Amino acid sequence: MLKVSKALVAVALIMACVASVDAADKGAKKKKGNKKQANVTIQALNLPDSIELSDEQKEKVAALKKEYTPKFAALQKKNREILTDEQVKARRTAMKEAKDAGKKGKELRDAVNAALNLSDDQEKQMKEVTGEIRKLNAEVTGKLEGILTADQYAKIKKPAKGKKAKKKNS
């Protein structure tokens, strides 16, 4: 049961990454080649508006985006290639229906995962790609921590800790 839960979480994380790329792809279907890379969102570099960066920090963050966007784009492409066209359509439909039904978080991921009906091989491939994405995110986050001040970095970490604390108390 634990393995199944871990697999579902891994698939959900991958789908979240792919969903952001799919949404970006809708607006960029006519573009070809490396132009799609500009639509890749690197979550670790998606800083809240409450963080004001100096010009030097902006340059360093832009350099990180330039360095890591092709790497994330390659992983997202690899992730998209795991699913069949039918599974991609099923994921989109399930995602829309679940969101329309007001589902969020784990409930949303579970609904989408159920619609995918992944084979064992696909689950294995998804886990591998998810691991690579996590590793890359950790690398970016480490470099970002070196760019931001302690106060700026605390603004990124604070909401996540607050959410965990709320869950523990309820």
Side-chain angles (χ1 to χ4, degrees):
M1 185 67 183
L2 185 59
K3 287 183 181 180
V4 172
S5 296
K6 286 182 180 180
L8 290 175
V9 170
V11 170
L13 288 171
I14 291 170
M15 289 187 331
C17 292
V18 173
S20 65
V21 171
D22 284 343
D25 284 348
K26 285 182 181 179
K29 280 192 176 179
K30 293 181 183 177
K31 296 181 181 179
K32 293 185 180 180
N34 291 337
K35 292 182 181 179
K36 279 190 179 183
Q37 289 180 357
N39 294 325
V40 174
T41 301
I42 302 172
Q43 291 299 322
L45 296 177
N46 195 10
L47 303 174
D49 294 336
S50 61
I51 296 178
E52 293 185 29
L53 300 175
S54 68
D55 290 339
E56 182 182 346
Q57 288 174 318
K58 287 178 184 176
E59 288 176 20
K60 289 179 179 179
V61 169
L64 282 179
K65 285 181 182 179
K66 186 175 181 179
E67 177 183 352
Y68 284 95
T69 296
K71 294 175 183 179
F72 275 96
L75 286 173
Q76 289 174 342
K77 181 181 179 200
K78 190 175 179 181
N79 190 14
R80 279 192 309 268
E81 291 171 351
I82 294 170
L83 301 176
T84 65
D85 290 340
E86 293 80 22
Q87 287 172 319
V88 171
K89 289 175 186 174
R91 182 188 61 216
R92 284 186 187 142
T93 303
M95 183 85 68
K96 184 181 182 329
E97 289 173 359
K99 284 182 179 179
D100 290 347
K103 294 181 181 179
K104 294 182 180 179
K106 185 179 183 318
E107 193 177 17
L108 177 105
R109 288 189 303 270
D110 289 345
V112 173
N113 289 339
L116 281 179
N117 195 22
L118 296 174
S119 69
D120 291 342
D121 187 46
Q122 285 176 313
E123 280 188 39
K124 181 182 175 189
Q125 290 175 359
M126 292 285 237
K127 280 183 185 180
E128 289 173 7
V129 174
T130 300
E132 292 176 42
I133 290 171
R134 284 184 182 157
K135 215 184 280 187
L136 208 53
N137 260 322
E139 191 176 316
V140 172
T141 302
K143 289 186 177 185
L144 186 62
E145 189 174 7
I147 294 171
L148 300 178
T149 66
D151 289 339
Q152 289 172 325
Y153 194 73
K155 289 180 182 179
I156 295 172
K157 292 295 180 186
K158 219 177 209 179
K161 287 181 182 174
K163 286 180 184 177
K164 287 182 183 176
K166 286 181 185 175
K167 285 183 182 178
K168 287 180 184 176
N169 292 335
S170 42

